Amino acid sequence: MNEHDSERIAGVLEADGLVPANGVAEADVVVLNTCCIRENADNKLYGHLGHLRSLKQARPGMQIAVAGCLAQKDRDLIVERGPGVDVVLGTHNVGRVASLLRVAAESGPVVEIWEEAALEEGELFPSALPVRRELGHAAWVTIQIGCDNSCAFCIVPAVRGAERSKPFGEVVGEVSQLAAGGVTEVCLLGQNVNSYGRDLTTALRSVGRDPASEEWLAGPAWSGPGGAGRRARPLFADLLAAVGAVAGIRRVRYTSPHPKDLRPETIEAMAATAAVCEHLHLPLQSGSDRVLASMHRGYTAARYLERMAAARAAVADLAVTTDIIVGFPGETEDDFDQTLAVVAEAAYDSAYTFIYSPRPGTEAAAREASFVASETVADRFARLKVVVDRSALARHRARVGRLEEIVVEGPSKRDPGVLSGRTRQNKVVHLPPPPGGLRAGTYATVTVTAAAPHHLSGSLVSVDASPTHKTRIPVASG
Ligand code: SAM
Ligand code: SF4
């Protein structure tokens, strides 16, 4: 979500006449788009601001803006600890970045944070703003902002507000427009995509209106996979089916579904919609039922594994990835062993692993007496990485010798002489480029030649001559 906000900020600045600089040392404007999910972002921000301040002393015309949810949370502190900052803007003020910089140039530092409650419907979702995407063929599409859950560790509800869904027809309209502009892959974004639409219907019912008779809400394809009759509200599954049916869209991804709300309809839609990629990011957080309960996650490890197994049974060749927190307050050695056991059983393709970070105002941050010692956490973190990497490597080795569809992303960031692409399972493949190279956004078939825990290597078999033709390339062995 933060990356997507950055694309919008860059788009707004570009539309205002700015061009990308080669680095901060040359830039007239530097925007730090922050995230406050974990504490080290706070620390990094003040370090970066110190460095920028010395650059600014050498070049007084340079402007510095701080955006994002950390800016929203710490607006006063940033002004206090960050002399030299010209603009502080909140997550809802992205569209104003260029005009705020102008105001600051004329009359000094400015802080602008719009609270969600004061916003009009159209201002909640930034889709009308210009965007500067890193990859021309792939786009994020925000379908939901905020979160109505109350996970004990998480600051998102406090800084991103209540859950709000973008109307069904507007999401499909945005994807159609993107496809018309050459985008072939979209990633639907929300904190809990499976509860998509719940707020829309609750709001309508509260004013005595029947959601089922609201065309703007329903959109054309609300009946869902298999053409089942109209539902009481559009489900995320219906959105997947409708977005997957947009002409020109070859790949649909989404992040994140909450395991407690992963409905059978979503799994069915994944299986039934050719464009929906065979990848499920299903955050586990912990494998201990005791810890899951104290996190207020709303599922047990067994229920999680059951849902994951249902998804694997329905969607052939499904890659599953996850998020795990190590050292949640009160986590014992036994709890952690249970996490290791679930991770081993889940056989993840990869995992984002995080050290628990107390966030101000969250329930868990007040449980200081049960914080886990940092050496214990570091040791558990290292042990978890070993188990995750082992399963990732095993999953990747099983792909060696197979044919995979990739979409080219460009030269590898580490070695510009190597081409990188991404498979439907969201795996990065490095390959030698053919003579003349391949343009980013090109679909191609490769043979997987080698595996590592975090990427695959491959060799080019053929290039897809019809990049907008929507199909699912059968994965064959040999
Ligand atoms: N909405 C998603 C869900 O419920 O699974 C998670 C979104 S959160 C922005 C991304 C990940 O950051 C979480 O899945 C969690 O693993 C991690 N995270 C959030 N708060 C954290 C904290 N206080 N300390 C460490 N990791 C945290
Ligand atoms: Fe945070 Fe939980 Fe909401 Fe995810 S579901 S954003 S972890 S509160």
Side-chain angles (χ1 to χ4, degrees), residues 13-77:
L13 292 177
E14 208 167 54
D16 199 53
L18 274 76
V19 292
N22 285 325
V24 281
E26 288 179 19
D28 295 321
V29 171
V30 178
V31 184
L32 297 172
N33 189 26
T34 62
C35 171
C36 62
I37 288 280
R38 283 170 297 276
E39 193 179 6
N40 58 2
D42 291 37
N43 303 336
K44 273 197 213 159
L45 172 68
Y46 296 108
H48 282 308
L49 284 180
H51 172 58
L52 290 175
R53 199 160 43 244
S54 48
L55 287 178
K56 190 169 176 163
Q57 273 156 6
R59 296 175 49 230
M62 174 183 172
Q63 285 193 292
I64 303 169
V66 183
C69 56
L70 182 58
Q72 184 128 344
K73 173 173 90 64
D74 284 353
R75 57 195 88 169
D76 299 328
L77 197 64

Side-chain angles (χ1 to χ4, degrees), residues 146-151 153-157 191-192 258 285 297:
C147 180
D148 281 351
N149 291 308
S150 47
C151 301
F153 52 81
C154 185
I155 200 169
V156 166
Q191 292 297 351
N192 180 6
H258 194 302
Q285 314 299 1
R297 287 291 289 177

Side-chain angles (χ1 to χ4, degrees), residues 161-191:
E163 207 166 278
R164 307 281 279 267
S165 303
K166 185 169 163 138
F168 193 101
E170 284 182 36
V171 176
V172 179
E174 185 176 341
V175 173
S176 306
Q177 260 185 2
L178 287 165
V183 166
T184 57
E185 174 173 329
V186 288
C187 181
L188 307 181
L189 276 182
Q191 292 297 351

Side-chain angles (χ1 to χ4, degrees), residues 77-397:
L77 197 64
I78 290 169
V79 174
E80 190 188 307
R81 286 185 59 182
V85 172
D86 297 276
V87 174
V88 178
L89 70 159
T91 51
H92 295 302
N93 304 72
V94 164
R96 303 250 308 143
V97 61
S99 44
L100 292 176
L101 284 164
R102 262 198 297 275
V103 171
E106 279 165 22
S107 30
V110 43
V111 176
E112 188 178 275
I113 314 271
W114 286 345
E115 298 304 333
E116 189 195 321
L119 297 180
E120 301 285 323
E121 193 65 39
E123 292 170 331
L124 281 172
F125 295 95
S127 41
L129 298 176
V131 62
R132 180 177 205 280
R133 289 194 305 271
E134 199 182 322
L135 295 170
H137 70 273
W140 306 104
V141 176
T142 303
I143 64 164
Q144 179 192 57
I145 55 168
C147 180
D148 281 351
N149 291 308
S150 47
C151 301
F153 52 81
C154 185
I155 200 169
V156 166
V159 290
R160 294 268 180 179
E163 207 166 278
R164 307 281 279 267
S165 303
K166 185 169 163 138
F168 193 101
E170 284 182 36
V171 176
V172 179
E174 185 176 341
V175 173
S176 306
Q177 260 185 2
L178 287 165
V183 166
T184 57
E185 174 173 329
V186 288
C187 181
L188 307 181
L189 276 182
Q191 292 297 351
N192 180 6
V193 292
N194 284 106
S195 61
Y196 170 80
R198 196 161 49 192
D199 55 305
L200 296 173
T201 51
T202 309
L204 283 172
R205 285 204 191 90
S206 71
V207 292
R209 280 158 62 182
D210 174 13
S213 55
E214 301 279 337
E215 279 308 317
W216 65 271
L217 172 64
W222 180 9
S223 57
R230 275 171 94 76
R231 303 184 211 282
R233 70 171 170 98
L235 296 178
F236 176 64
D238 303 328
L239 197 57
L240 273 184
V243 166
V246 170
I249 295 296
R250 285 180 73 146
R251 291 183 173 190
V252 178
R253 304 186 184 282
Y254 63 93
T255 192
S256 295
H258 194 302
K260 78 176 163 58
D261 297 318
L262 179 63
R263 302 172 68 118
E265 290 91 339
T266 300
I267 296 173
E268 275 168 39
M270 286 184 79
T273 311
V276 177
C277 288
E278 297 80 8
H279 174 213
L280 176 65
H281 183 71
L282 196 60
L284 169 70
Q285 314 299 1
S286 169
S288 152
D289 290 347
R290 207 184 62 82
V291 173
L292 286 169
S294 86
M295 287 175 165
H296 311 313
R297 287 291 289 177
Y299 52 86
T300 59
R303 189 89 184 101
Y304 174 97
L305 288 169
E306 229 171 69
R307 293 200 167 165
M308 193 179 98
R312 281 213 164 110
V315 182
D317 202 23
L318 184 73
V320 184
T321 58
T322 197
D323 294 345
I324 300 163
I325 295 177
V326 179
F328 184 73
E331 182 191 73
T332 62
E333 204 52 34
D334 184 49
D335 292 321
F336 180 67
D337 283 345
Q338 290 173 45
T339 297
L340 289 184
V342 173
V343 170
E345 186 173 343
Y348 290 116
D349 289 75
S350 79
Y352 293 108
T353 52
F354 305 109
I355 286 179
Y356 168 72
S357 163
R359 305 286 53 220
T362 58
E363 192 184 317
R367 301 180 192 162
E368 266 178 67
S370 11
F371 282 7
V372 183
S374 54
E375 318 78 71
T376 309
V377 177
D379 173 64
R380 288 180 191 166
F381 189 76
R383 281 155 61 204
L384 175 63
K385 188 172 178 326
V386 171
V387 179
V388 167
D389 283 357
R390 190 186 303 141
S391 90
L393 186 59
R395 302 276 302 173
H396 290 181
R397 279 192 175 139

